[in-house]
């Protein structure tokens, strides 16, 4: 009983502080002051400032430090950053060291969409939109790739992986990669024949195994047990949902607005995501991963969140 | 038509004589410097560049659809991290030829690029020869946008008014006596044979039928064949196959990241030409030549550089080759078991990974034999282990055989550690003596506890 009261009290305190944080953020948008010495090592929230299009880091007090690094999509883990950068000749996949120095840049085809780094910082993935595939009459298709930064192995097109040992159909598209802790297994969306499925990939074996239909943009929880994803709704929107990998049970999260993003787990209990706001730009929100609670604003005028530990 | 081109060329020559002097004049003092710096790239009597169209790296290298290209790759240097610079085609051809896309972002024709330096104008201006041999070109000097399976968008020299019409010729004039070739030439297959409209196998067979004789001749005549692609076919990254075959080419897979600008820079360095545009900041390819020394490394970070050595194999009389793995390859090293160039350096950009993060069976070893140069008395080696086992079953070790004295030293006895830090070991050397260093990772192939060791920065002092 005592414990329950304590929990209730704690919740109230937390909610109160969230409310305060919300007020502060709305009243005084975090100043994205360019600051030297931003690192991917200090705790905080990596994000893209949607007013400047540049990489920024928000500390636990809600204060934001901006950088000069323009990115369309971001992610980071364990000191490895990835910035998908639009460019004149070609978009670029830019690998960043923890001090934001550019370690390597690889020309990307198409328009940057998703980016992810494995928890160890070793594996990097990206998704771009391309046009010109004959099977869909000039509409956008996606392409995804994975780089093993330790061995240098580069898989430029996951559509070249097999599906249960066989070549996928020609209309296959893959997007939204998320890595497991062993730096070999990963999850992604495979679209083929009108189905969008969650697949489990094996990087070494170059194979994809379908697990469940109607799961897009998966994001694996740090403990490896659950997938946060966007579930397509009949009305054309997406519901942020969590899938339990052990029994494939689905839990819709408390965010009822349509979320078109690959969510990022802040910890094993919370996922963060970008939501466009009116006009241009977006805000980053967070919601409990168990279906309870309500969404809270984490960072105004920002998207592409990634927790820095 | 030819007379008009000649007229343009004459005017252009005059323009170069006036304005161009600035460039040439400015380049002249730098020329000597460039020549010194360019010693890392051999000066070939002939280079033939053959660009193909629109294929992913993985559609060519390792693919049964391209048996001849793969055999070429095995005969020469194959670049595993080579990239186009843009899409669509035309910008890539212009970039390769001039160090810049020159504002070309589509395939429209004609592009008329006035007074802009390019590889052709540079070579000719410096007294070397240049020709583009285009299959399907209806007549020498033709400037039309297309004719049958010929397209000008794959033929960039036509766009530059400072390349004479005489350099734009039909592929049917490609000599059978290769000694008659100009210094540098491009051979552009037509829209079928370049794999644009026809199958990979069609282009692959065309290459064998048309250029294998040159490739074999080149190997013994101080000449070079470069086969590359303009761009990939829309995977997620613009990764292409690029292969060098010829004299002074050390066969192997090379992992440094290159693009069209690195190739242009390499050709410019070979002939002492001032690098153009983005080629100025692109590293020349220096590690594939048998004449190369471990001097300038392609990596962005300088590595502790051993003293220069004239020949890397079998025994290096003058030091260790590629001791920091900054070539991005195993140049200089003999490998057994499972090894990989790793993006996990002690310093610089790369290290050598021995073993793997998945189980491997027994010893994996990197070996190099060298002679200690005058004044050298110490060998330093950095290593880092990720051993998930116990030393009974898995370990890192380093042995140095003192070949001259017939003894073996183990600067690193069998050690199993996963503490995540780089450590150094040393051995004492005698100048002029021969040594064989062995960098070892042992794993018992047991699932779940793989062992891997990274080695880096073997330095003589």
């Amino acid at each position: 009983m005592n414990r329950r009261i304590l929990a209730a009290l704690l919740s109230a305190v937390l909610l109160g502080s969230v409310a305060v944080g919300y007020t502060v953020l709305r009243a005084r948008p975090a100043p994205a002051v360019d600051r030297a010495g931003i690192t991917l090592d200090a705790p905080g929230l990596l994000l893209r400032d949607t007013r400047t299009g540049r990489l920024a880091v928000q500390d636990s007090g809600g204060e934001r430090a901006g950088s000069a690094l323009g990115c369309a999509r971001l992610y980071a883990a364990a000191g490895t950053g990835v910035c998908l950068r639009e460019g004149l000749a070609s978009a670029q996949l830019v690998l960043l060291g923890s001090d934001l120095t550019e370690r390597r840049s690889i020309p990307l085809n198409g328009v940057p969409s998703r980016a992810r780094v494995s928890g160890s910082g070793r594996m990097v993935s990206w998704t771009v939109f391309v046009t010109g595939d004959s099977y869909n009459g000039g509409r956008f298709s996606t392409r995804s790739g994975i780089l093993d930064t330790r061995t240098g192995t580069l898989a430029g097109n996951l559509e070249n992986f097999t599906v249960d040992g066989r070549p996928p159909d020609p209309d296959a598209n893959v997007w939204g990669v998320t890595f497991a802790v062993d730096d070999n297994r990963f999850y992604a969306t495979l679209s083929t024949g009108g189905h969008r499925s969650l697949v489990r990939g094996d990087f070494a074996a170059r194979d994809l195994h379908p697990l469940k239909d109607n799961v897009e943009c998966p994001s694996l929880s740090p403990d490896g047990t659950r997938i946060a994803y966007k579930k397509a709704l009949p009305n054309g929107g997406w519901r942020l949902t969590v899938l339990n990998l052990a029994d494939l049970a689905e839990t819709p999260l408390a965010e009822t607005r349509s979320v078109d993003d690959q969510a990022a787990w802040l910890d094993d209990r919370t996922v963060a995501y970008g939501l466009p706001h009116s006009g241009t730009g977006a805000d980053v929100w967070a919601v409990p991963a168990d279906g309870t609670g309500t969404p809270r604003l984490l960072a105004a005028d920002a998207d592409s969140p990634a927790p820095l530990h | 038509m030819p007379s008009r081109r000649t007229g343009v060329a004459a005017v252009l020559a005059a323009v170069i004589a006036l304005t161009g002097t600035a460039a040439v004049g400015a380049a002249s003092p730098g020329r000597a410097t460039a020549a010194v710096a360019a010693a890392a790239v051999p000066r070939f009597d002939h280079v033939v560049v053959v660009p193909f169209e629109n294929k992913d790296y993985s559609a060519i290298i390792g693919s049964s659809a391209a048996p001849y290209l793969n055999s070429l790759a095995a005969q020469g240097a194959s670049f595993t991290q080579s990239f186009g610079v843009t899409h669509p085609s035309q910008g890539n051809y212009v970039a390769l030829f001039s160090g810049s896309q020159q504002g070309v972002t589509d395939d429209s024709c004609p592009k008329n690029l006035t007074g802009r330096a390019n590889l052709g104008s540079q070579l000719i201006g410096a007294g070397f020869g240049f020709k583009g041999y285009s299959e399907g070109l209806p007549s020498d000097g033709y400037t039309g946008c297309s004719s049958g399976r010929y397209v000008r968008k794959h033929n960039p020299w036509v766009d530059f008014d400072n390349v004479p019409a005489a350099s734009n010729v039909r592929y049917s004039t490609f000599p059978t006596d290769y000694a008659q070739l100009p210094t540098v030439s491009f051979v552009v297959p037509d829209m079928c044979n370049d794999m644009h409209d026809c199958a990979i196998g069609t282009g692959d067979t065309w290459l064998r039928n048309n250029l294998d004789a040159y490739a074999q001749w080149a190997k013994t005549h101080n000449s070079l064949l470069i086969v590359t692609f303009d761009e990939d076919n829309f995977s997620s990254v613009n990764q292409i196959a690029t292969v060098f075959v010829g004299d002074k080419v050390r066969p192997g897979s090379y992992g440094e990241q290159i693009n069209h600008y690195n190739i242009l820079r390499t050709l410019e360095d070979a002939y002492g030409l001032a690098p153009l545009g983005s080629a100025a900041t692109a590293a020349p390819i220096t590690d594939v030549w048998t004449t190369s020394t471990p001097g300038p490394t392609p990596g962005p970070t300088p590595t502790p550089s051993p003293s220069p050595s004239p020949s890397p194999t079998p025994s290096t009389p003058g030091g260790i080759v590629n001791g920091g793995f900054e070539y991005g390859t195993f140049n200089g090293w003999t490998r057994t078991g499972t090894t990989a160039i790793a993006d996990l350096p002690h310093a610089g950009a790369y290290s050598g990974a021995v073993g793997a993060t998945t189980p491997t069976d027994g010893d994996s070893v990197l070996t190099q034999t060298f002679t200690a140069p005058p004044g050298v008395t110490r060998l330093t080696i950095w290593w880092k282990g990720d051993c998930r086992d116990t030393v009974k079953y898995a370990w890192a070790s380093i042995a140095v055989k003192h070949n001259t004295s017939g003894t073996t030293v183990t600067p690193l006895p069998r050690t199993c550690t996963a503490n995540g830090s780089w450590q150094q070991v040393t051995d004492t050397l005698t100048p002029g003596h021969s040594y064989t260093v062995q960098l070892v990772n042992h794993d018992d192939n047991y699932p779940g506890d793989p062992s891997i060791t990274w080695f880096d920065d073997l330095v003589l002092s």
Side-chain angles (χ1 to χ4, degrees):
Chain A
M1 205 55 170
N2 279 345
R3 190 173 288 177
R4 287 185 71 118
I5 291 168
L6 182 60
L9 276 172
L10 270 174
S11 307
V13 170
L14 282 171
L15 281 170
S17 67
V18 166
V20 169
Y22 180 91
T23 313
V24 168
L25 280 168
R26 268 306 177 203
R28 188 168 53 86
V33 180
D34 278 12
R35 199 170 72 190
I38 295 183
T39 77
L40 301 174
D41 290 332
L45 185 68
L46 178 74
L47 44 81
R48 171 180 171 274
D49 189 312
T50 58
R51 293 166 300 185
T52 61
R54 292 176 175 173
L55 179 152
V57 172
Q58 178 171 298
D59 66 22
S60 52
E63 187 155 340
R64 188 180 301 184
S67 77
L69 207 61
C71 304
R73 184 84 192 184
L74 282 164
Y75 203 81
T80 299
V82 56
C83 159
L84 306 190
R85 187 163 70 197
E86 274 151 347
L88 207 57
S90 159
Q92 302 282 329
L93 168 78
V94 182
L95 295 182
L96 304 171
S98 59
D99 58 355
L100 301 188
T101 52
E102 185 173 326
R103 278 161 50 189
R104 187 175 173 189
S105 173
I106 297 174
L108 285 173
N109 298 325
V111 179
S113 170
R114 309 289 185 221
R116 199 99 330 181
V117 178
S118 70
S120 71
R122 170 178 167 180
M123 310 297 286
V124 173
S125 83
W126 55 92
T127 298
V128 293
F129 287 116
V130 299
T131 51
D133 284 334
S134 58
Y135 54 77
N136 70 352
R139 286 180 292 123
F140 277 116
S141 301
T142 64
R143 294 282 186 280
S144 294
I146 292 177
L147 173 70
D148 181 341
T149 64
R150 189 183 287 178
T151 63
T153 304
L154 173 63
N157 189 354
L158 300 185
E159 294 162 29
N160 294 334
F161 283 25
T162 53
V163 177
D164 287 340
R166 298 177 181 192
D169 290 334
D171 71 345
N173 269 203
V174 179
W175 65 87
V177 172
T178 182
F179 293 103
V181 71
D182 68 356
D183 283 335
N184 180 51
R185 277 180 309 123
F186 63 93
Y187 296 85
T189 312
L190 169 69
S191 164
T192 178
H195 289 272
R196 295 173 169 186
S197 323
L198 175 69
V199 291
R200 187 180 61 224
D202 182 327
F203 187 68
R206 297 192 162 236
D207 189 63
L208 307 173
H209 173 65
L211 290 174
K212 183 173 168 52
D213 244 20
N214 196 11
V215 174
E216 279 187 68
C217 287
S219 176
L220 186 64
S221 60
D223 64 11
T225 62
R226 289 154 296 156
I227 295 272
Y229 68 101
K230 57 177 208 185
K231 179 174 182 171
L233 302 175
N235 66 7
W238 285 285
R239 179 66 177 260
L240 200 55
T241 304
V242 165
L243 177 76
N244 186 24
L245 285 168
D247 57 7
L248 299 186
E250 297 175 41
T251 305
L253 302 192
E255 176 59 79
T256 55
R257 293 166 291 182
S258 178
V259 174
D260 181 9
D261 198 6
Q262 183 177 26
W265 292 76
L266 299 181
D267 52 44
D268 277 320
R269 297 176 309 282
T270 319
V271 296
Y273 48 94
L275 259 185
H277 56 224
S278 57
T280 57
D283 303 319
V284 170
W285 294 76
V287 69
D290 61 0
T292 66
T294 51
R296 62 188 169 100
L297 183 69
L298 269 187
D301 297 307
D303 61 14
S304 214
L308 303 176
H309 300 294
Chain B
M1 218 31 117
S3 63
R4 189 175 151 268
R5 290 280 305 194
T6 316
V8 170
V11 170
L12 216 275
V15 170
I16 288 174
L18 295 168
T19 60
T21 346
V24 175
S28 289
R31 192 85 158 261
T33 334
V36 172
V41 181
R43 181 166 294 185
F44 293 100
D45 291 342
H46 305 282
V47 177
V48 175
V49 182
V50 187
F52 282 85
E53 274 282 310
N54 300 9
K55 292 293 168 282
D56 298 350
Y57 171 82
S58 62
I60 301 295
I61 299 299
S63 164
S64 57
Y68 178 66
L69 263 158
N70 281 281
S71 83
L72 270 187
Q75 295 170 51
S78 179
F79 294 88
T80 62
Q81 305 279 338
S82 176
F83 296 86
V85 298
T86 190
H87 293 291
S89 292
Q90 189 160 236
N92 288 294
Y93 285 89
V94 172
L96 173 59
F97 193 59
S98 71
S100 161
Q101 286 181 240
Q102 311 289 357
V104 174
T105 56
D106 60 32
D107 280 346
S108 67
C109 177
K111 299 291 184 195
N112 291 306
L113 305 170
T114 310
R116 310 210 194 156
N118 56 74
L119 180 62
S121 70
Q122 279 188 303
L123 283 163
I124 291 168
F128 299 103
F130 168 79
K131 277 184 181 178
Y133 295 93
S134 302
E135 191 183 24
L137 189 76
S139 58
D140 292 348
Y142 179 77
T143 59
C145 286
S146 67
S147 173
R149 301 201 303 204
Y150 163 79
V151 287
R152 174 168 153 177
K153 67 178 177 178
H154 297 166
N155 212 353
W157 38 91
V158 184
D159 301 333
F160 291 87
D161 62 350
N162 51 10
V163 181
S167 291
N168 176 29
V169 298
R170 291 162 297 150
Y171 174 61
S172 55
T173 66
F174 193 79
T176 49
D177 173 7
Y178 303 126
Q180 303 304 313
L181 279 164
T183 312
V184 174
S185 55
F186 278 53
V187 169
V188 180
D190 70 25
M191 285 282 276
C192 174
N193 291 322
D194 69 4
M195 307 185 188
H196 187 284
D197 293 342
C198 297
I200 290 172
T202 304
D204 189 70
T205 303
W206 185 92
L207 184 63
R208 186 189 66 207
N209 291 345
N210 285 272
L211 285 154
D212 186 60
Y214 169 76
Q216 304 313 323
W217 178 87
K219 288 177 183 174
T220 53
H221 292 83
N222 188 35
S223 294
L224 178 69
L225 172 67
I226 297 177
V227 179
T228 188
F229 287 75
D230 67 331
E231 58 187 341
D232 85 324
N233 190 27
F234 282 95
S235 70
S236 71
V237 288
N238 198 348
Q239 190 186 9
I240 55 175
T242 299
V243 173
F244 287 9
V245 175
D247 209 352
K248 302 184 176 66
V249 178
R250 186 186 290 133
S253 289
Y254 293 83
E256 65 266 40
Q257 188 171 333
I258 62 165
N259 63 20
H260 299 320
Y261 298 129
N262 299 89
I263 293 183
L264 176 61
R265 173 62 185 269
T266 303
L267 293 174
E268 288 174 326
D269 275 14
Y271 299 102
L273 308 170
L276 295 171
S278 293
T281 50
I285 296 163
T286 58
D287 57 339
V288 305
W289 316 118
T290 53
T291 52
S292 68
T293 64
T297 56
T301 317
T303 184
S305 183
S307 43
S309 63
S311 152
T313 50
S315 168
T316 310
I320 292 173
V321 173
N322 193 17
F325 302 96
E326 293 305 307
Y327 287 19
T329 68
F330 282 111
N331 266 26
W333 293 96
T334 304
R335 299 182 281 159
T336 58
T338 305
T339 57
I341 292 293
D343 187 5
L344 192 93
H346 166 256
Y350 303 109
S351 61
V354 183
T357 52
T358 51
T360 53
D361 197 2
D363 281 348
S364 295
V365 189
L366 289 174
T367 306
Q368 185 167 153
T369 298
F370 65 95
T371 301
V376 163
T377 55
R378 175 187 278 253
L379 167 65
T380 305
I381 303 170
W382 289 86
W383 71 283
K384 172 174 159 168
D386 188 1
C387 180
R388 307 289 178 88
D389 209 325
T390 61
V391 74
K392 184 175 176 187
Y393 300 109
W395 58 82
S397 65
I398 298 174
V400 181
K401 291 183 183 171
H402 291 214
N403 301 319
T404 307
S405 64
T407 56
T408 295
V409 172
T410 52
L412 178 66
R414 293 178 179 187
T415 306
C416 180
T417 175
N419 66 8
S421 58
W422 284 97
Q423 301 169 71
Q424 78 174 71
V425 294
T426 61
D427 189 19
T428 302
L429 309 180
T430 305
H433 283 202
S434 166
Y435 299 90
T436 299
V437 59
Q438 292 180 309
L439 312 175
V440 182
N441 181 83
H442 183 93
D443 187 55
D444 63 352
N445 208 24
Y446 190 80
D449 59 4
S451 170
I452 181 172
T453 309
W454 294 270
F455 296 96
D456 202 359
D457 294 331
L458 283 82
V459 178
L460 299 175
S461 57

